[in-house]
Amino acid sequence: MTLDQWREMFRSVEHFAYHLEMRDRYAVDEEKEEFARWRAGKLEWPTAREDWWRPWHTLIQDTVQRGAIVLRARIVSEPVTDYIQYEWESTYENIEAGEEVRWLPRRLATGIALPGNDFWLFDDRKLLVNLFTGDGGWAGNELLTEPAVIKLCHSAFDAVWQVATPHGDYQPH
């Protein structure tokens, strides 16, 4: 999706946008160089992400200022991968933008019925499924509106959110 398409999705949010992430590594093009610099110890927060993350954070800020909530839950394997450590270290930016973020160790997710893909759920009206290749490469999105699928994903998100640890209390290991 383009930034304009994301803007349109978030402008339509009245109550909530929920994001569930379940992968231990993402290889999206925009982050490859930054992740490599982080691994080499050459990434300086917060200016490192300013160029391409600022529009996203502005979008989140605008959504939250309108009164909607933006929640992100991440299910992660432990010990965490380098990529998840990198995400954890940069999550303060999401929080500063207005997101609430929680982390759930994968071992605690066994009793939760989870969908097969990461997703964004917008006001129980639209479900944007994020598709990835086996190695974490971007494979596109799928927009769904089927009530049964939306109900399943909302239920999964709620179950994860209830047992996940708030970002400020989670220490990856």
Side-chain angles (χ1 to χ4, degrees):
M1 287 183 75
T2 67
L3 184 56
D4 286 338
Q5 291 170 316
W6 279 110
R7 283 186 182 120
E8 187 57 37
M9 292 292 283
F10 275 90
R11 284 186 186 128
S12 71
V13 171
E14 295 176 17
H15 306 288
F16 66 83
Y18 295 163
H19 187 37
L20 182 62
E21 296 179 348
M22 299 181 285
R23 298 184 57 87
D24 287 320
R25 185 174 193 288
Y26 295 87
V28 292
D29 291 338
E30 295 88 357
E31 291 191 28
K32 287 180 184 176
E33 181 182 330
E34 179 183 303
F35 179 58
R37 287 187 318 187
W38 175 84
R39 288 183 85 183
K42 297 179 181 178
L43 187 66
E44 295 181 25
W45 305 107
T47 57
R49 301 172 67 125
E50 186 68 26
D51 291 341
W52 61 274
W53 271 110
R54 183 54 41 212
W56 174 258
H57 291 137
T58 300
L59 180 60
I60 297 302
Q61 287 170 338
D62 292 347
T63 302
V64 171
Q65 286 174 354
R66 284 195 335 270
I69 60 171
V70 180
L71 306 180
R72 179 185 303 256
R74 291 180 169 140
I75 299 174
V76 296
S77 299
E78 292 180 322
V80 300
T81 62
D82 283 352
Y83 187 86
I84 294 300
Q85 181 68 40
Y86 154 81
E87 274 197 333
W88 182 81
E89 288 180 21
S90 64
T91 293
Y92 76 90
E93 295 174 315
N94 298 68
I95 292 168
E96 285 178 1
E99 285 187 37
E100 294 180 50
V101 180
R102 292 188 181 180
W103 300 81
L104 181 64
R106 193 171 309 282
R107 65 184 166 71
L108 300 177
T110 303
I112 300 173
L114 296 168
N117 296 294
D118 292 9
F119 64 83
W120 277 97
L121 177 60
F122 300 96
D123 288 336
D124 282 337
R125 292 186 314 230
K126 297 176 187 174
L127 181 73
L128 186 66
V129 178
N130 296 322
L131 305 171
F132 296 93
T133 62
D135 64 356
W138 183 248
N141 297 103
E142 185 177 7
L143 184 61
L144 303 173
T145 58
E146 292 87 0
V149 177
I150 286 174
K151 183 178 179 181
L152 169 75
C153 289
H154 192 145
S155 175
F157 186 88
D158 283 347
V160 169
W161 193 258
Q162 288 176 10
V163 296
T165 303
H167 177 74
D169 296 332
Y170 180 73
Q171 292 296 316
H173 57 278

XYZ file of all heavy atoms in Angstrom, residues 3 7 49-60:
140
model
N 1.541 5.303 0.900
C 1.245 6.130 2.065
C -0.138 6.772 1.924
O -0.878 6.873 2.903
C 2.327 7.192 2.261
C 2.181 8.067 3.500
C 2.113 7.230 4.781
C 3.320 9.071 3.577
N -3.127 6.478 4.539
C -3.813 7.667 5.064
C -5.324 7.521 4.951
O -6.064 7.845 5.878
C -3.344 8.914 4.317
C -1.999 9.410 4.734
C -1.657 10.733 4.054
N -0.345 11.164 4.445
C 0.658 11.358 3.597
N 0.492 11.171 2.303
N 1.828 11.754 4.047
N 15.435 7.152 11.831
C 14.184 6.785 11.179
C 13.382 7.989 10.702
O 12.300 7.842 10.174
C 13.344 5.964 12.144
C 14.080 4.712 12.580
C 13.334 4.020 13.652
N 12.102 3.510 13.119
C 11.709 2.257 13.185
N 12.447 1.388 13.779
N 10.559 1.878 12.662
N 13.892 9.155 10.918
C 13.139 10.373 10.649
C 12.602 10.447 9.223
O 11.459 10.801 9.005
C 14.017 11.597 10.934
C 13.299 12.912 10.838
C 12.263 13.119 11.924
O 12.395 12.525 12.998
O 11.310 13.871 11.675
N 13.403 10.117 8.246
C 13.003 10.312 6.852
C 11.770 9.511 6.454
O 10.819 10.056 5.926
C 14.148 9.968 5.906
C 15.277 10.968 6.010
O 15.032 12.073 6.523
O 16.388 10.641 5.589
N 11.789 8.211 6.697
C 10.687 7.410 6.169
C 9.663 7.012 7.213
O 8.562 6.595 6.858
C 11.203 6.207 5.390
C 12.043 5.241 6.174
C 13.377 5.308 6.403
C 11.588 4.048 6.804
N 13.775 4.238 7.150
C 12.707 3.433 7.399
C 10.337 3.430 6.918
C 12.614 2.250 8.097
C 10.263 2.243 7.609
C 11.390 1.669 8.191
N 9.936 7.164 8.500
C 8.937 6.838 9.516
C 8.096 8.035 9.930
O 7.007 7.876 10.468
C 9.590 6.229 10.759
C 9.705 4.739 10.658
C 10.863 4.034 10.513
C 8.652 3.776 10.690
N 10.575 2.700 10.450
C 9.224 2.511 10.558
C 7.271 3.877 10.816
C 8.483 1.348 10.553
C 6.522 2.709 10.809
C 7.126 1.464 10.673
N 8.592 9.254 9.736
C 7.855 10.439 10.192
C 6.447 10.495 9.607
O 5.496 10.764 10.341
C 8.648 11.715 9.869
C 7.990 12.989 10.360
C 7.637 13.023 11.854
N 8.650 12.452 12.705
C 8.394 11.804 13.863
N 7.175 11.662 14.306
N 9.374 11.299 14.588
N 6.240 10.248 8.317
C 4.852 10.289 7.801
C 3.942 9.264 8.496
O 2.771 9.546 8.748
C 5.003 9.980 6.314
C 6.398 10.382 5.990
C 7.204 10.084 7.229
N 4.484 8.097 8.816
C 3.691 7.079 9.509
C 3.314 7.559 10.906
O 2.172 7.467 11.330
C 4.464 5.762 9.589
C 3.755 4.744 10.413
C 4.031 4.382 11.693
C 2.612 3.990 10.026
N 3.137 3.439 12.116
C 2.256 3.178 11.113
C 1.863 3.914 8.848
C 1.184 2.298 11.071
C 0.786 3.034 8.807
C 0.454 2.244 9.905
N 4.274 8.074 11.636
C 4.000 8.533 12.994
C 3.041 9.717 12.997
O 2.195 9.827 13.881
C 5.304 8.861 13.720
C 6.102 7.633 14.012
N 7.451 7.566 13.829
C 5.727 6.409 14.451
C 7.879 6.349 14.157
N 6.849 5.632 14.532
N 3.131 10.576 12.014
C 2.175 11.684 11.891
C 0.773 11.141 11.658
O -0.204 11.630 12.237
C 2.593 12.626 10.754
O 3.889 13.155 11.057
C 1.598 13.761 10.583
N 0.660 10.123 10.833
C -0.630 9.489 10.571
C -1.224 8.915 11.856
O -2.414 9.098 12.149
C -0.454 8.388 9.517
C -1.672 7.607 9.098
C -2.724 8.523 8.494
C -1.256 6.541 8.084
N -0.418 8.254 12.658
C -0.882 7.694 13.925
C -1.290 8.827 14.874
O -2.353 8.766 15.511
C 0.202 6.797 14.572
C 0.515 5.596 13.668
C -0.233 6.340 15.964
C -0.661 4.714 13.335
